[in-house]
Structure formats: C-alpha cells, structure tokens
Amino acid sequence: MNTKYIIASFILMLYALQGYTQSASSINGAITDRAGNAVPWATIAIPSIKIGTTADSAGRFLLADVPAGNWELEVKYVGYQPYTVRIRTNGTTPAHKDIVLLDAGTSLDEVVVSGTMKEVSKLDSPVPVEVYTAKFFKSNPAPTVFDALQNINGVRPQLNCNICNTGDIHINGLEGPYTMVLIDGMPIVSGLSTVYGLSGIPQSLIERVEVVKGPASTLYGSEAVGGLINVITKNPKTTPLLAVDAFGTSWGELSADVAAKLKIGQKVQSLVGVSYFNYQNPLDKNNDNFTDVTLQHRISFFNKWNVERPENRVFSFAARYVYEDRWGGEMNWAPPYRGGDEVYGESIYTSRWELFGTYQLPAKENILFQFSANGHDQNSVYGNTPFMADQYIGFGQLTWNKVLGNHDLLSGLTYRYTYYDDNTPATADAANLGINRPTHTRLPGMFVQDEITFDERNKLLLGARYDYNSIHGSIITPRINYKWNSLDKNNVLRLSFGNGYRVANVFTEDHSALTGAREVVFESELDPETSWNGNVNFVKKIPLGSGGIVGFDATAFYTYFNNKIIADYDTDAQKILYGNLDGHAVSQGISLNIDLALMNGLKLMAGATAMDVYSEEEGQKVQQLFTEKFTAVWNAGYTLKRLGITIDYTGNLYGPMRLPLLSDADPRSEKSPWWSIQNIQLTKAFRNGLEVYGGVKNLLNWTPNRGTPFIIARPHDPFDKLVEFDGGGQALITAENPYGLTFDPSYVYGPNQGARGFLGIRYSFY
C-alpha cells in the first residue's frame, strides 16, 4: 500500500476522531438580578436531555458536555421568576450567556408545602398559597416577623394593648387565635406564643413565608380556622458563610442579626444565628405620661442542621431560644414598682425554647416523621395584676405519601400533648378556687387526602381529618379543593370548601383578659368553635412583550361560624364577658393582588381587601371589634442599574373599625378614622456582597391620637383610686371624672410610633 495514502488516511482518521470527541461543547455565563448583584446557587438545566449544574457563590456557571443542537435552557432560584431561553450549540465552540433574573414577588412559581403538606409547584397546588420571599421583606426592614407581615394583603398585625404593645396576626379580619403560625411546617407558635412569641422570630432567618387563607384544620388541626402562616427558615446548604443585617432608628431602636454557616465533613451543614433587639428610650409624644412604645430587650438564638443521606432522604432539625424583657407604663416607672400600685407599669419577662425537625424513614416508601417541642415561661404583671404561666407542648406526626396512577395520596397520624398552668381561674379547681389544677390536653388525630389529577388542566383534592380532644371529644374536619388551569398555566381557577374548628384558651390568647382593667367573666363553659368556609380564587398572568410580566390574583371568601367565642366589651364597661355566641358569625369579602415586574427595573405589588365581619344573635347584627372593612397595601420598587441603587416605597391603608367605649359619655369616637403608614427606603448594593440601606418609616408621622382627646382612658389614675362607683359597680360621673370612665388601655387600633429615620447595612460572604 502507498505510504502517502496510509499517512493521509491516518490524518483523516485523527480529524474524524477529533470531530467525534468535540461533538459536545459547553455553556457558560453569569446570573445576576436587575441591580447587577450576583445570584448564587441558582440551578441551570436543559431538561430535555437531563443535564444541569448549579451556579457558584458569584453567580457563575459552566454547563459541560452539551451536545450540538438548539436547546431550551432553564434557570430557577427561590425568590426569582423562572427563566427560559433558547441556546444553539455547535458541538465545538463554548456558548456564552449572561442571565438576568426578575424578582418573583407574589407570582413566584416555586415549590410550596403549606397547602397540601407536601412539595408541589405553586401553580400546580389545588390550594391557593401566597408566597413572600426574604427579598420582599427587605423592602421595609423590620426586626421581627410580626412587624414584617404588615405589607401582605389581608394580613394585619394587630396591637392589642397601648401599653405593653403585644399583638396578634389577623387574616381576612379574623383575630389572631384563628391564625396558625408554623415554623418549617411545625405548629410552634400557639397558645401563649400567639400573643407573646411572635416578636421573637427574627426576619433574617426567613427564606420565605407561605400564607394560606381559609381553614386548614383538615391538615393542621385546631387554630388553623382563619388560615395559616408558614415561616420557612433558610437552608444551611445554600446560605452564605457569613451574613450580617443590622439597622438603627432615630428613636433609638437597634436591631442586629448575624448568621454563620458551618460545615462538618461533606454531608452535614449547620446554620447558627443570633438576633438582638434593644430599645431603651422612653418617649411620650402624645403627652399622656405613658410610654408611646414599649421598651424592649430581646435576644434570640437559632441553630439549624441539615444532614445529607443516601437517596436524598431528608433529615433536618433546628432549635431556637428567645428571652425578652419588655415594659411599658408611666414615664417614671422602674423595676422596683413592678407589681405594686404606686406607679403603673406592664412588665413582661418571656423565656421560650423550641425544638423541631423532620426525618425521612429509610424505607422504599416516602414516610416522614416530623416532631416539635417547646416550653414557654411567662412572668408578667399588669399594674398590680400578676400573670404567671408555664406551657409545654409536644407534637409528633407521621406522614406517608404514595402515588397510585393519577392519585397522589397523603395520610398521617398525629399526636399533640399540651401542659398548661397559670395563676388565673383557667387552671383553678371549679369547686375550690384555692386549689391549682394544671391542664393536660391530649390530642391524637389522623388525616388523609387524595389529590386526583384528571388531566393537565383539572385537579381535585379530597381530604378529611379526625381528632380526639381529651376534653371536648371527637372532631371531624373535611375539605374539598378543585383546580382548573389553561394549558399555558397563565389562567388558574381554584374552588375551595372546608371545615375548621378551634378550642379556645382565653388567658393565653387575649391580652385584654389579663390587664386587670376589666373583670373577666365566663358566662358558660366554652365549647369548641366550628366554621364552614368557601372561597373562589382566580389567578391570571400576562407576559409582556418587553420580557416583563403582570399578574392578577383575585379571591372571594365566605366563612360561617357556629359557637363563636365573643369577647363582649359593650354590655358592662367594667367587665369582659366571654361565652359561645347563641347565633352565628360571618367573615366575608373579596381581595385582589396585582404584581407587575418589568425589565427596566420597575416592580409593583399592590393589593386590597374589602370585607364584612360580624356576629348575629337574636336578630341583632354587630360588627366585630377592631376589624376594618377595607385595607390596601402596596410595594413599589425601582432599580437604577448603573448606580446599583434601589428605591422602595411601601405602605398600607386601613378603613374605619369599631372600637370599645366605656360609657355613653365617653368622648372618643366609636370608630377609628382612615389611616395609613407609609415608608420609603434607598438601598445601595456593592458587588462585594455589601448593601447599605436607609430611609424613613411612617412618612406621614401618623399616630392614633390625632383628633382624639385621649387614647388611654384616665391615664392620670391607673389604679382607679379617684373613681366613684355606684352599687352596681359602674363608674359615676363626677367633677373629677366628667365622662364616668375607669382606667382602660384597650382603645387601640394602630401603633403610637411616629415618623423615624433608619439606617442599616447588610453583608453576605459566600
């Protein structure tokens, strides 16, 4: 054979082999947000050929071994809208693509768990779930979850006391005891912490917050009558090595959060966080000789662990400890006056620990064991009225998820034990009030749900739960949910109908029962409340030609209550009368959310809710106290890309609500005025992970004393030493007491804190 021919053939073979080995190329680039900040740890994939990778801490990525072709590249990360783009690869030359992700806001199509207790895409969930990411809350920084929720439509943090500033969270006009607050899906915040534990959850630990409006008792049991708020904490695997967020205000408030990630070996990651809040600057700008804002000293420790196991089985657990010392009262109050009747003050010491986690059993089936335990020690005095309480709760839950054809089945067994003891009649022997009898409540239960997928557009969810309360007996709660969506999923319709129940404990849930300003009277033994709820939810997403998106989320809701427990302030000004309603109560209304995100850096989220919440007994309709008929919220942001500066304008608007008066001569208005809290913030982002932010809270300097002669009744005589009473215990009108009032701080509907500037920094190191 000709030597030249052999050499030529060999060379051609080498070229062929070279072409074969280079038939796969790569795709590289960087992922940023609209402000130019790197988005670390995003997932990049080409689903059609099942290859993917994860961006590094600087947002850079390299997707290797991509065959020649025209591929659809998909990018996802929590807090941002999913991004898809077509990229052509020739099998030889690396392709480069830089990607800008849009903030997700409330249109986030990510994995949610709250509606069905298992991971599901938000758009695919038959239960409507609203999702708010940590990025959303950064537009109006707050030291706690309680304060941060004020910008969510239909959710209102309600202050219940002008003096100690404790509060609860309303959903669609229903009071705090009807809202279940979960941490990582576990019922941590309940009982005493419904009032006293919300301020101990630092905002810096939030990965996202999921909100379900309407009864969720089928899955979560008692307290989830009005809905639930699930605080999902950060995953140690994807958090920065070090994160710091600290700010101060012109009123002298200081809030600081520090979180660090630890890695032990290749399979164990831990997140350690410390949160600190301090406010020690008593101010009295409304001149009633009482502190406008409660003085607080709070520290919280948090530690979460993730353990990587074979076959991606789940094992995570976390612990949290909170200690808080808060007081409010007369400006000259000091600790030596605690519990006495010389100078009025409300002083609360709270010590609370929590442990919770999830463990997936090493079995072929998807079986999860979830557990939580918490202890709450309450040492408080309201003037000369002490309230001492201890509460311990243990909870365990075993769930089994099984897919059979088009049926996605979830079943579970639960057990909850509650120990509660205090110094009130709630734990006293009915026959002998001098004997203390702590309560031991046992609540075993079981639930099952079947999510039936008929086709790409139709899905039905059927569920039921059975609980046996050791005090009240058997309770059954069913529900049904239906979802329809268009093929492009830009239109989603959901119909929901279900039952809820609640077992009440007045002294752990209602601060007004503890102040000593009024006598607490139980008209009868309180039976569990039951409710039936129906709602219609419609979501529409409209992609814009510029690459932006606008979303609409509308809901009509209706809840009907039997046995509702009403706190009656009206019958007797000296008493709060508690009893089951001999009639019914209704919460009904409509809400609308609008979410707009444009490629030019503009984002807008706005929402409004109109509602009617009332009770009806013996043909008489009474509007619920402290419940507005209209509320609106907004969050507008614009990013100046070249300067790396983001401007956020947030606010809320509340309509009038009925307030408790003490007598026919009480000069205060029976209804609150329209009022609004508005805030503005500027944030400068630097490429090294540093952010500097500042602005003004309560731009309008609004406070509830405007146009009102006084907020606290008779603040000059908090122990009623100068009040004269008639034979029936009612205050008399005298020259010293022209309105016939007694001391009472329950006339409260908004914060007393006026305008204040704030300045802070955030730093993340990966």
Side-chain angles (χ1 to χ4, degrees):
M1 184 178 290
N2 190 298
T3 304
K4 292 182 179 181
Y5 177 79
I6 295 174
I7 295 174
S9 299
F10 183 71
I11 293 173
L12 287 173
M13 184 177 65
L14 290 178
Y15 274 112
L17 288 173
Q18 183 182 32
Y20 176 80
T21 58
Q22 291 185 352
S23 62
S25 57
S26 62
I27 302 174
N28 63 74
I31 303 174
T32 61
D33 61 17
R34 289 177 299 173
N37 301 311
V39 179
W41 317 121
T43 58
I44 304 95
I46 301 178
S48 61
I49 53 176
K50 298 182 180 180
I51 63 171
T53 188
T54 302
D56 64 15
S57 61
R60 297 183 297 266
F61 71 91
L62 173 64
L63 191 61
D65 299 325
V66 181
N70 186 17
W71 308 111
E72 185 175 85
L73 186 72
E74 184 180 85
V75 182
K76 289 185 177 181
Y77 189 64
V78 171
Y80 297 89
Q81 296 175 22
Y83 178 93
T84 57
V85 64
R86 282 280 176 182
I87 293 183
R88 182 177 295 278
T89 56
N90 59 17
T92 58
T93 307
H96 181 83
K97 179 63 179 178
D98 290 331
I99 295 168
V100 178
L101 296 182
L102 292 177
D103 296 343
T106 57
S107 66
L108 185 63
D109 182 21
E110 62 168 288
V111 170
V112 295
V113 296
S114 300
T116 57
M117 204 180 281
K118 57 187 178 63
E119 292 187 347
V120 61
S121 164
K122 179 178 181 291
L123 281 178
D124 289 334
S125 172
V127 179
V129 182
E130 297 179 15
V131 182
Y132 299 89
T133 67
K135 207 170 186 67
F136 170 84
F137 296 112
K138 287 180 180 179
S139 61
N140 181 27
T144 69
V145 169
F146 178 79
D147 300 308
L149 294 175
Q150 63 185 292
N151 287 327
I152 296 179
N153 184 26
V155 178
R156 182 168 69 87
Q158 163 69 29
L159 287 176
N160 294 325
C161 177
N162 270 309
I163 299 175
C164 70
N165 293 164
T166 53
D168 54 31
I169 298 174
H170 292 204
I171 293 182
N172 287 343
L174 297 177
E175 301 100 318
Y178 298 91
T179 301
M180 174 171 277
V181 181
L182 310 168
I183 300 181
D184 288 345
M186 289 291 94
I188 295 293
V189 183
S190 59
L192 281 171
S193 60
T194 302
V195 175
Y196 303 100
L198 291 171
S199 58
I201 304 174
Q203 184 180 332
S204 63
L205 294 177
I206 298 175
E207 178 77 24
R208 67 184 188 272
V209 172
E210 299 179 3
V211 180
V212 177
K213 298 173 182 176
S217 296
T218 300
L219 286 182
Y220 295 97
S222 179
E223 301 167 24
V225 176
L228 65 91
I229 296 171
N230 193 359
V231 180
I232 309 295
T233 60
K234 292 181 177 178
N235 186 340
K237 187 175 181 179
T238 58
T239 54
L241 291 174
L242 176 67
V244 178
D245 190 349
F247 71 91
T249 74
S250 57
W251 276 52
E253 298 159 299
L254 174 64
S255 177
D257 296 327
V258 178
K261 179 169 71 173
L262 305 176
K263 191 172 183 180
I264 302 174
Q266 297 297 318
K267 296 185 178 181
V268 180
Q269 302 92 26
S270 176
L271 173 64
V272 180
V274 179
S275 177
Y276 178 76
F277 180 79
N278 195 345
Y279 173 64
Q280 302 295 325
N281 183 31
L283 293 174
D284 177 27
K285 296 196 175 185
N286 60 12
N287 300 314
D288 61 3
N289 194 41
F290 273 73
T291 54
D292 292 340
V293 178
T294 301
L295 283 77
Q296 301 174 50
H297 188 192
R298 179 176 63 250
I299 189 165
S300 173
F301 299 93
F302 180 84
N303 187 202
K304 183 175 183 179
W305 294 79
N306 271 16
V307 180
E308 296 182 23
R309 300 171 58 213
E311 301 182 26
N312 292 321
R313 292 193 180 99
V314 177
F315 182 31
S316 67
F317 59 93
R320 186 171 73 106
Y321 175 76
V322 182
Y323 177 79
E324 182 182 66
D325 175 3
R326 68 161 60 200
W327 74 268
E330 294 185 87
M331 291 293 288
N332 60 328
W333 186 89
Y337 295 113
R338 192 175 196 263
D341 63 357
E342 295 180 60
V343 180
Y344 189 91
E346 298 188 358
S347 171
I348 302 169
Y349 303 145
T350 299
S351 177
R352 178 175 178 81
W353 60 265
E354 301 164 352
L355 175 68
F356 50 96
T358 300
Y359 178 78
Q360 184 174 359
L361 271 61
K364 291 183 179 181
E365 300 293 335
N366 184 9
I367 302 175
L368 293 178
F369 175 66
Q370 296 173 292
F371 60 90
S372 69
N374 62 78
H376 189 113
D377 176 60
Q378 191 72 33
N379 182 326
S380 49
V381 292
Y382 303 89
N384 57 357
T385 301
F387 175 61
M388 309 294 170
D390 288 300
Q391 179 179 268
Y392 299 95
I393 299 176
F395 177 82
Q397 177 171 274
L398 193 67
T399 63
W400 174 46
N401 186 205
K402 181 73 172 179
V403 177
L404 296 173
N406 64 337
H407 295 264
D408 192 343
L409 299 169
L410 178 73
S411 59
L413 299 173
T414 69
Y415 184 83
R416 181 172 177 175
Y417 168 78
T418 302
Y419 168 92
Y420 178 73
D421 186 22
D422 67 19
N423 63 323
T424 74
T427 56
D429 189 293
N432 187 345
L433 296 180
I435 298 178
N436 188 52
R437 294 190 183 278
T439 61
H440 303 265
T441 305
R442 296 166 180 85
L443 190 65
M446 63 180 67
F447 61 86
V448 62
Q449 73 175 17
D450 184 8
E451 186 176 317
I452 308 168
T453 302
F454 296 106
D455 51 41
E456 292 184 64
R457 305 175 68 175
N458 295 278
K459 186 175 291 188
L460 181 68
L461 179 71
L462 304 172
R465 180 184 179 108
Y466 170 79
D467 287 299
Y468 183 82
N469 187 289
S470 58
I471 298 175
H472 298 286
S474 299
I475 302 172
I476 299 175
T477 48
R479 75 165 170 176
I480 181 171
N481 298 82
Y482 168 75
K483 182 185 76 73
W484 170 90
N485 60 262
S486 57
L487 290 177
D488 59 8
K489 295 189 178 181
N490 285 335
N491 300 280
V492 182
L493 175 68
R494 296 180 176 93
L495 306 177
S496 303
F497 181 76
N499 176 244
Y501 79 97
R502 183 176 77 94
V503 178
N505 187 327
V506 167
F507 289 99
T508 66
E509 298 169 350
D510 190 348
H511 168 269
S512 301
L514 303 171
T515 62
R518 297 187 184 214
E519 179 187 357
V520 175
V521 177
F522 293 94
E523 297 181 300
S524 61
E525 185 176 343
L526 300 180
D527 294 324
E529 298 180 348
T530 59
S531 69
W532 290 96
N533 169 275
N535 63 58
V536 180
N537 172 256
F538 181 70
V539 177
K540 185 172 184 62
K541 298 171 68 174
I542 304 175
L544 304 178
S546 60
I549 190 169
V550 59
F552 299 90
D553 188 335
T555 301
F557 58 89
Y558 180 88
T559 304
Y560 184 95
F561 288 91
N562 290 312
N563 289 336
K564 194 170 194 295
I565 297 169
I566 302 290
D568 181 0
Y569 290 79
D570 302 321
T571 302
D572 190 328
Q574 304 302 311
K575 299 176 181 178
I576 307 177
L577 306 176
Y578 288 96
N580 289 108
L581 184 69
D582 185 15
H584 67 273
V586 170
S587 169
Q588 59 186 350
I590 56 175
S591 68
L592 174 66
N593 287 319
I594 300 175
D595 182 4
L596 172 68
L598 301 178
M599 290 297 293
N600 64 2
L602 175 67
K603 61 178 181 179
L604 172 66
M605 285 180 281
T609 300
M611 57 191 170
D612 185 20
V613 184
Y614 65 89
S615 61
E616 189 169 326
E617 190 172 27
E618 297 179 353
Q620 184 178 5
K621 180 179 176 180
V622 179
Q623 295 297 134
Q624 181 174 283
L625 285 168
F626 306 112
T627 303
E628 67 282 3
K629 285 200 169 187
F630 179 84
T631 179
V633 297
W634 62 88
N635 185 325
Y638 182 73
T639 299
L640 304 170
K641 295 182 180 180
R642 292 185 179 180
L643 299 177
I645 294 177
T646 300
I647 305 170
D648 289 295
Y649 171 50
T650 59
N652 44 50
L653 174 67
Y654 298 109
M657 61 185 74
R658 191 170 73 89
L659 302 171
L661 300 181
L662 298 180
S663 72
D664 293 337
D666 194 329
R668 297 173 295 181
S669 173
E670 185 181 6
K671 291 187 176 181
S672 64
W674 287 84
W675 58 283
S676 176
I677 301 291
Q678 301 176 27
N679 321 283
I680 194 165
Q681 175 184 258
L682 298 179
T683 303
K684 168 63 178 176
F686 300 89
R687 290 189 176 274
N688 61 358
L690 176 67
E691 289 183 356
V692 178
Y693 60 92
V696 179
K697 290 179 177 288
N698 197 354
L699 278 167
L700 304 180
N701 196 30
W702 178 89
T703 53
N705 62 299
R706 288 188 181 183
T708 302
F710 51 85
I711 297 295
I712 300 175
R714 292 184 61 81
H716 64 284
D717 184 24
F719 297 100
D720 293 334
K721 294 180 179 180
L722 303 178
V723 178
E724 297 182 23
F725 298 92
D726 63 16
Q730 302 299 308
L732 295 171
I733 294 178
T734 64
E736 196 281 331
N737 189 8
Y739 305 120
L741 307 181
T742 56
F743 172 74
D744 191 277
S746 62
Y747 189 92
V748 56
Y749 58 91
N752 289 317
Q753 195 170 23
R756 59 207 182 277
F758 66 94
L759 182 65
I761 62 168
R762 297 188 189 96
Y763 176 70
S764 298
F765 174 73
Y766 288 90

